[in-house]
Amino acid sequence: MKTASLLCVAALAAASTSEAAPQQYDIKNRRIEPRQTLAGALHDAQLPDAQVEAVIAALEGVFDFRKSRVGDQFRLVMRNGELDFFDYRQSTVDEWQVRRDGEKYVGSKRSIEVEKQVSLVSLEISTSLYDATLAAGEDPSIGLVLSDVFAWDIDFYRDVRKGDRAKALVEKFVSKGRVLRYGEVLAATYEGGLVGNKRVFRYVLPNGEANFFQEDGASAKKTFLKSPLKYAHVTSSFGSRYHPVLQYVKNHNGVDYGTPIGTPVWAVADGTVVSASYAGAAGNMVVLRHSNGMETQYMHLSRFGDGVRTGTRVRQKQVIAYSGNTGRSTGPHLHFGLKRGGTYANPLTQKFPRADPLPKELTGDFLAKAHDMAQQLDAVSVAAVAGQAAPPPAAVK
């Protein structure tokens, strides 16, 4: 009996020792490198072949491997030399994981709760729109959102002055208190020392198309944008100049915008592609023909936009190409030229008409909703100063 008791004590001690044995964890954080598949990246992270196959099998039908991109992040959690957990992240809302469940691995897309809020963004510009967004605690991408809304009236490099103010009622998609991205701008104002006061409202037409209109129902859109780039600065204006390559005074039949290689280039108006090809000193060039005898030229491009070729129709704000440094060029930039009736004109001094206003049968509905939106926009501003919460406005539909 005594011997049996001793054996039981020894067994319990052994079991206790086994339970107390520390688990060995190893965590590896990696990124997808150029010309690397997910399977290749897992092998390069020294995951055993059988476990690589298990991870890939677990993600079949859950993750589209063709959408794996350079820079995607993944993490391997190893326990006692075997994979315990794998997660793969493309963005703050796109995440996949593989968990060990007994002797098998199970893959899934991680569910992330995202809340849509309507908030006031209020900016006061002292140096630049970019700095103003940072000072307001906003993501700099809101600057691109505003430049899109006011693209027909404001060049956010040339027209901005110290003391200008901008406000916008904008959708924010938030997860765990963090803004993931901005959605639609519902209403916006800009008070500028040079451009004056602008106020626009988003309105959804019966066909589902959304456009911006001024308070009286006039279109916020014009037939031509002020710039072929969302955000860039003029490095060389229209007119005579000393050519930096040819070393003599020569007419400069356009405007040069300094911008990094690969910056998206907009079509400034609806039109037809006359040519999209390499053009000697102009490098890769796109030429568009518009109504009323207008033509625009985009030079020194790094590449053309998808589907942009001779004869195709393009829409205003469609990305037709990407800026570059091809042809006779001293550095990365976009040369933008404009012709009226076959003669070059200065793009920066042109006055273009607005697009068609709202149909008469919709004007009353829009004016009523725009009035409500204007009151809400101003009320939110007052409430923000008072430190009170304001009710979220309804979208104009």
Side-chain angles (χ1 to χ4, degrees):
M1 192 72 173
K2 185 176 181 180
T3 302
S5 298
L6 290 173
L7 288 173
C8 287
V9 170
L12 287 172
S16 177
T17 302
S18 175
E19 290 173 0
Q23 301 288 321
Q24 298 294 322
Y25 285 94
D26 182 22
I27 299 176
K28 299 179 180 180
N29 293 297
R30 298 287 190 273
R31 292 178 183 270
I32 300 295
E33 302 295 338
R35 297 180 296 280
Q36 191 178 53
T37 63
L38 175 57
L42 293 173
H43 282 297
D44 290 345
Q46 299 182 334
L47 190 67
D49 291 351
Q51 292 183 35
V52 171
E53 294 174 4
V55 169
I56 298 300
L59 290 173
E60 287 284 355
V62 177
F63 174 67
D64 186 349
F65 297 101
R66 295 171 300 179
K67 294 183 178 179
S68 184
R69 302 190 298 251
V70 173
D72 288 355
Q73 304 172 50
F74 66 90
R75 178 178 57 161
L76 301 169
V77 179
M78 311 295 292
R79 182 173 63 177
N80 298 332
E82 291 193 11
L83 180 67
D84 193 55
F85 178 79
F86 164 85
D87 68 351
Y88 187 92
R89 183 177 182 182
Q90 283 193 327
S91 71
T92 50
V93 294
D94 292 309
E95 221 173 291
W96 293 262
Q97 51 190 218
V98 174
R99 290 184 176 276
R100 187 172 183 176
D101 184 11
E103 296 301 315
K104 64 179 181 178
Y105 290 96
V106 178
S108 63
K109 190 176 191 303
R110 184 181 176 190
S111 177
I112 298 175
E113 292 186 5
V114 178
E115 178 186 4
K116 183 171 76 172
Q117 302 175 352
V118 175
S119 302
L120 173 74
V121 172
S122 185
L123 308 175
E124 182 170 356
I125 298 170
S126 57
T127 54
S128 69
L129 183 63
Y130 178 87
D131 290 338
T133 62
L134 296 180
E138 299 289 341
D139 189 284
S141 62
I142 189 62
L144 296 178
V145 174
L146 286 173
S147 66
D148 195 1
V149 171
F150 290 111
W152 298 275
D153 288 304
I154 304 172
D155 181 326
F156 274 93
Y157 190 89
R158 299 178 61 248
D159 297 340
V160 171
R161 296 295 183 268
K162 183 177 180 179
D164 287 4
R165 297 173 182 268
K167 291 189 299 182
L169 287 173
V170 61
E171 296 173 343
K172 290 182 178 180
F173 292 87
V174 180
S175 177
K176 297 179 180 179
R178 179 183 177 186
V179 177
L180 304 178
R181 64 181 178 86
Y182 296 97
E184 301 292 349
V185 172
L186 305 181
T189 65
Y190 191 90
E191 300 171 5
L194 179 65
V195 298
N197 296 341
K198 311 291 181 184
R199 178 170 283 210
V200 298
F201 302 90
R202 186 174 186 268
Y203 184 75
V204 181
L205 299 169
N207 63 3
E209 181 183 356
N211 283 317
F212 284 95
F213 297 89
Q214 300 178 50
E215 282 182 286
D216 61 357
S219 178
K221 295 176 62 175
K222 291 184 178 179
T223 53
F224 279 69
L225 300 175
K226 289 206 73 174
S227 168
L229 300 163
K230 277 193 177 184
Y231 214 34
H233 64 282
V234 174
T235 55
S236 185
S237 299
F238 183 89
S240 297
R241 66 163 182 171
Y242 185 78
H243 198 283
V245 175
L246 301 178
Q247 301 293 300
Y248 61 82
V249 175
K250 184 179 184 295
N251 280 337
H252 188 231
N253 294 320
V255 175
D256 288 347
Y257 292 92
T259 187
I261 293 174
T263 302
V265 176
W266 276 343
V268 295
D270 295 347
T272 302
V273 179
V274 175
S275 63
S277 61
Y278 189 80
N284 292 324
M285 179 171 72
V286 171
V287 178
L288 302 181
R289 182 176 60 250
H290 311 281
S291 60
N292 300 323
M294 305 287 285
E295 179 182 289
T296 53
Q297 303 171 343
Y298 311 78
M299 304 180 187
H300 308 300
L301 307 167
S302 58
R303 60 188 177 94
F304 306 118
D306 293 339
V308 175
R309 56 185 178 274
T310 302
T312 58
R313 291 282 301 169
V314 295
R315 303 179 313 278
Q316 187 180 65
K317 286 191 178 182
Q318 180 177 333
V319 174
I320 56 169
Y322 298 85
S323 64
N325 190 29
T326 57
R328 192 161 62 211
S329 172
T330 58
H333 74 285
L334 171 72
H335 175 94
F336 174 62
L338 181 145
K339 283 184 175 182
R340 277 182 178 271
T343 302
Y344 282 105
N346 186 349
L348 301 180
T349 60
Q350 302 304 304
K351 303 295 183 183
F352 296 107
R354 294 200 178 272
D356 294 336
L358 276 168
K360 289 184 178 179
E361 62 271 21
L362 298 176
T363 302
D365 180 61
F366 167 78
L367 292 177
K369 291 176 178 176
H371 176 72
D372 291 341
M373 289 289 286
Q375 287 188 321
Q376 291 170 352
L377 181 64
D378 296 335
V380 169
S381 178
V382 173
V385 172
Q388 300 170 359
V396 178
K397 291 185 178 179

